Amino acid sequence: MAADFKAFKGDYQELVDEISELLGVPATLENRDFELIAFGAYDSEDELDPMALDPVRTRSILTRRSTATVRAWFEGFGITRASGPVRIPPSLEAGVYRGRICLPVRHRGVVLGYVWLLDGDPGPTDAQLAAALEVAGRIGALLADEAEAGAGLSRELRAVLTAERGWQRDMAVAELRVALGPRADGPLTLVCVAPWPSADPDDAPAARTIPHAAALCTLPWTAGTSTAPRTVEDSGQSLALLVRLRSTEVSAPAQAAALRLLKAAEGARTGATRGAGARVAAAAAAGLTEPGRAAAVAHAAGVGEPRAGLADLGTVWQEASAAARAALAEPRLGPVAQWAGIGPYRLLTALPPRAAHDPVVGALLSPTHRELARTAEVYLDRAGQAGRAAAELGIHRQTLYYRLSRVEQLTGLDLDDGEDRLLLHMALKRARL
């Protein structure tokens, strides 16, 4: 199903401009989640009047969505069920300084979006509104077509990222290539946002609302290990976003898209607070939280290395997922972590869960010895420089040496031995995952 999203966008703008011309007032089109799709810049004396400038419309155009307060005010007038124009009065409490006329955008009896008009005196006539509703119906058909195309791309992207290597993945890649058309051959990368609050595709932003996005889907998020407490990301979801780039050397569009998705995840009503609390508790239990270190985060994003075409998309997803896991484990790497910048986590995230735990550090990772684990990690992070480690921990150097001797007693490792240091350092970093 090869859908041309640029064509969709152009058609929306033409139809919104048509409504603006019909009614003689500026029109704004939003989807049912109040995300901006298009707006008409109708040229009139009223638009030049400072008193006519409306903060809700301005915010929608600048940020591409309305606030929750504004949404609640509008939805309170039954716009989600309306079949005809709905007049909405102003509300200073909601920040709606001017009245609105809402034209529901429907398709087969379902409201898919809204056309918003600033109400005036005199407002549009019934005949004008009837003509505008006919145009809104054409917008509804376009939104339905785009939703169907987006759902197809979502299924095909998910098939590529979940297929086993070999002929299954090759077939999935071929189908995604057909669906994307010419976009499939350009520079691409993947963004992973985890944990994502919902497995319902309708709860994810539309790919159209994210610049440079080609497709997105939700996937199970299985970042936890067999011995760690279960958290949101252990049994929850992640979001995969396929991003088009101008060059394999420039990943800025992917980072911008990741930040937008993180805002959406943070603003979701479910999971964020619970997830943050679970991770903080897990980190504290492992003794890996220290003064001056960034607190655990609720959500993070990872970006894989850009590639040309779709052939290596499975590998790019592994990189993006690993980078997201690293950013959750080490907030200093985030909120958006690049695969190339996560250091030892490039190896640690590739280890199978059971193989990643060495028994000699088990006792050190118990809650009883959290101060010793913290001390050892800071000391190793500072390349064994006692002065720097003691200063960061806020302790005397002799206290540092005492704690390190206790670490050696608990683990049986010799911190004067390079390989023992490496084992301990990697084990402590792995515990963060």
Side-chain angles (χ1 to χ4, degrees):
M1 179 187 316
D4 188 344
F5 288 97
K6 288 186 178 179
F8 280 130
K9 185 175 181 180
D11 291 340
Y12 291 136
Q13 188 62 58
E14 290 177 8
L15 292 171
V16 169
D17 288 341
E18 184 177 340
I19 290 176
S20 294
E21 292 292 335
L22 277 172
L23 303 182
V25 293
T28 302
L29 172 63
E30 294 179 333
N31 65 17
R32 61 186 172 193
D33 293 320
F34 288 72
E35 296 169 334
L36 180 69
I37 298 174
F39 63 93
Y42 181 79
D43 187 14
S44 72
E45 293 182 1
D46 184 58
E47 274 289 280
L48 300 177
D49 180 0
M51 296 300 293
L53 297 177
D54 181 81
V56 173
R57 184 170 187 265
T58 301
R59 186 185 192 280
S60 177
I61 291 171
L62 292 178
T63 68
R64 309 199 71 81
R65 67 182 304 116
S66 297
T67 66
T69 302
V70 169
R71 177 173 180 167
W73 175 251
F74 288 159
E75 288 181 337
F77 290 87
I79 61 174
T80 60
R81 303 178 301 278
S83 57
V86 178
R87 278 188 158 85
I88 300 174
S91 167
L92 295 181
E93 293 81 4
V96 181
Y97 296 162
R98 293 190 59 180
R100 292 288 198 285
I101 299 175
C102 175
L103 304 180
V105 176
R106 298 167 63 89
H107 182 72
R108 295 182 179 175
V110 178
V111 173
L112 301 179
Y114 310 100
V115 172
W116 297 100
L117 314 165
L118 294 176
D119 205 356
D121 187 15
T125 66
D126 290 344
Q128 285 177 311
L129 290 175
L133 271 177
E134 186 276 328
V135 180
R138 285 148 57 194
I139 293 174
L142 272 182
L143 283 171
D145 288 344
E146 182 184 353
E148 183 178 354
L153 281 172
S154 179
R155 288 192 299 270
E156 285 147 2
L157 178 59
R158 185 182 296 108
V160 171
L161 301 185
T162 57
E164 297 289 337
R165 290 183 181 272
W167 66 269
Q168 288 184 335
R169 182 172 292 178
D170 291 343
M171 288 183 61
V173 167
E175 291 177 2
L176 181 59
R177 181 176 288 110
V178 171
L180 288 172
R183 294 171 295 167
D185 297 322
L188 299 163
T189 192
L190 282 164
V191 171
C192 171
V193 178
W196 188 255
S198 173
D200 188 346
D202 290 338
D203 291 337
R208 168 186 29 79
T209 65
I210 305 169
H212 306 285
L216 58 79
C217 67
T218 55
L219 293 167
W221 178 246
T222 54
T225 67
S226 58
T227 59
R230 293 189 65 79
T231 63
V232 173
E233 68 265 33
D234 286 322
S235 55
Q237 296 290 315
S238 62
L239 185 77
L241 178 73
L242 183 63
V243 182
R244 293 175 286 111
L245 304 173
R246 293 185 180 90
S247 163
T248 55
E249 305 300 319
V250 180
S251 60
Q255 296 179 54
L259 287 171
R260 178 168 292 194
L261 289 172
L262 283 173
K263 282 187 178 180
E266 292 291 347
R269 288 173 292 179
T270 59
T273 301
R274 183 173 67 250
R279 274 181 292 282
V280 169
L288 296 176
T289 306
E290 69 250 11
R293 188 157 205 144
V297 294
H299 308 277
V303 180
E305 288 292 281
R307 306 289 206 283
L310 304 175
D312 295 327
L313 217 53
T315 300
V316 180
W317 175 242
Q318 292 173 0
E319 294 171 353
S321 301
R325 290 180 63 195
L328 285 168
E330 287 275 14
R332 63 180 174 79
L333 297 174
V336 180
Q338 298 269 1
W339 161 254
I342 62 174
Y345 289 105
R346 292 167 65 166
L347 293 176
L348 292 172
T349 52
L351 294 174
R354 293 189 181 277
H357 294 278
D358 193 286
V360 299
V361 297
L364 183 62
L365 295 177
S366 70
T368 306
H369 301 300
R370 66 183 61 178
E371 285 292 337
L372 296 180
R374 180 187 312 133
T375 298
E377 187 177 16
V378 172
Y379 174 72
L380 295 169
D381 283 346
R382 300 297 164 261
Q385 297 181 32
R388 291 178 60 198
E392 182 167 334
L393 290 165
I395 60 177
H396 192 276
R397 189 178 299 203
Q398 290 303 318
T399 303
L400 173 69
Y401 290 141
Y402 169 75
R403 290 184 183 178
L404 294 177
S405 68
R406 290 280 295 124
V407 169
E408 291 180 324
Q409 292 171 10
L410 281 169
T411 62
L413 298 174
D414 180 0
L415 294 184
D416 288 330
D417 182 277
E419 290 189 357
D420 282 3
R421 282 196 189 194
L422 177 62
L423 172 59
L424 179 58
H425 205 181
M426 300 295 268
L428 291 170
K429 293 299 182 188
R430 172 65 191 187
R432 290 188 174 277
L433 294 172

